[in-house]
Amino acid sequence: MDIANLTAFIAVAETTSFSLAADRLFLTQPAISKRISTLEQSLNTKLFDRIGRTVQLTEAGKALLPHAYHILTEINDAGRKLSNLETEVKGQLNIATSHHIGLHRLPPILRSFTKSYPEVNLNIHFLDSEKAYDAVLHGHVELAIITLAATTYAPLTAIPIWNDSLDFVCSQDNPLSQLKQIDLATLAKHPAIFPGIGTFTHDIIKNCFLQTKLTPHITMSTNYMETIKMLVSIGIAWSVLPSTMLDASLIKLNVKDVTLSRQLGYLYHSERTLSKATIKLIELLKIC
């Protein structure tokens, strides 16, 4: 099976769109269609059902997908092993990170890395931490620097780097700002903005309330911490933000008997060969 055709197959399967797959691979849509058609002919089976504008895997396509991932992973792994025989640190390094970490934690590390290893072509994918887990699992990126899940299962390995403390915050003109101390029951009655449903940070905050059998009054949610900060600062609601983001536009709330934090760190696939570039970046992360 041709590698280019398998790559196109995976792109269509993941995006459920020929046009989006074309954008991802920097190809035209007819080129993607041609590759899929060639693959279907070589396998003598239909891989996608095209119903109107929707694209869905057939049973044959579903059966092929894990094998396609495995084939491309093995090829990429072999390439990294051969590249590691060279003395120079070079080539392309695909990593994933969240917007928050990319803005607030990584700049000095990446600056040092690019100065030390100018021959490495660094390709950064900004992904939600939850999606980054899948990206590492399927071999789209070698390394993810993200908010870590409470539990990480093999073959993925998660290494904590930063303990990121989280604070309850509101605007200066929010009535909550006048309280010297506040409990979760009171907070639950006031409008709140939470990180997006399904995110690790959302679960940390919500579980804090569920443990006391309280349901917070969530009026809005978004995955972007910078957006949450802006909305809180104009008085829409209270929220929880990393301590590193607090400034004069926010008031830190003194919540009784509650301390929240999350673990930030890096994630890699333990069964795959890490490139020299990835190893060097991990070395910088360990000393940051």
Side-chain angles (χ1 to χ4, degrees), residues 20-41:
L20 291 177
D23 290 341
R24 175 189 286 188
L25 299 179
F26 302 102
L27 296 170
T28 63
Q29 187 170 333
I32 290 290
S33 297
K34 177 63 175 177
R35 291 186 180 186
I36 298 301
S37 177
T38 300
L39 183 60
E40 289 178 330
Q41 289 174 19

Side-chain angles (χ1 to χ4, degrees), residues 111-282:
R111 186 182 301 114
S112 177
F113 180 84
T114 53
K115 285 184 178 180
S116 299
Y117 309 105
E119 296 300 313
V120 175
N121 180 20
L122 190 60
N123 188 10
I124 303 174
H125 303 260
F126 287 95
L127 299 175
D128 294 339
S129 295
E130 301 71 29
K131 292 181 179 179
Y133 268 72
D134 284 337
V136 174
L137 184 63
H138 291 138
H140 300 321
V141 298
E142 278 194 67
L143 192 73
I145 307 164
I146 51 172
T147 300
L148 300 178
T151 304
T152 299
Y153 300 97
L156 300 181
T157 298
I159 305 297
I161 305 174
W162 304 284
N163 182 55
D164 200 33
S165 60
L166 301 170
D167 288 327
F168 292 86
V169 295
C170 69
S171 66
Q172 296 180 1
D173 56 358
N174 189 306
L176 294 173
S177 67
Q178 304 303 312
L179 301 176
K180 292 183 178 181
Q181 191 176 67
I182 189 171
D183 57 26
L184 290 178
T186 302
L187 267 181
K189 297 175 183 177
H190 291 258
I193 300 172
F194 268 34
I197 295 173
T199 62
F200 301 144
T201 308
H202 177 102
D203 292 342
I204 289 171
I205 304 167
K206 192 166 185 179
N207 287 340
C208 173
F209 285 88
L210 292 178
Q211 288 172 5
T212 53
K213 298 181 180 180
L214 294 169
T215 302
H217 179 35
I218 304 172
T219 59
M220 192 182 308
S221 63
T222 175
N223 290 2
Y224 300 105
M225 290 293 181
E226 285 71 24
T227 302
I228 293 176
K229 178 181 177 180
M230 180 275 293
L231 294 171
V232 171
S233 70
I234 61 176
I236 289 179
W238 65 267
S239 190
V240 174
L241 288 171
S243 302
T244 53
M245 294 185 69
L246 271 60
D247 58 25
S249 68
L250 301 173
I251 297 294
K252 177 181 175 180
L253 297 171
N254 180 16
V255 182
K256 184 180 179 180
D257 299 327
V258 177
T259 301
L260 295 181
S261 66
R262 59 183 185 171
Q263 291 294 316
L264 311 180
Y266 63 88
L267 181 80
Y268 65 93
H269 197 297
S270 60
E271 296 178 359
R272 293 182 185 143
T273 301
L274 296 178
S275 66
K276 280 189 175 181
T278 298
I279 293 170
K280 294 301 182 182
L281 181 53
I282 288 175

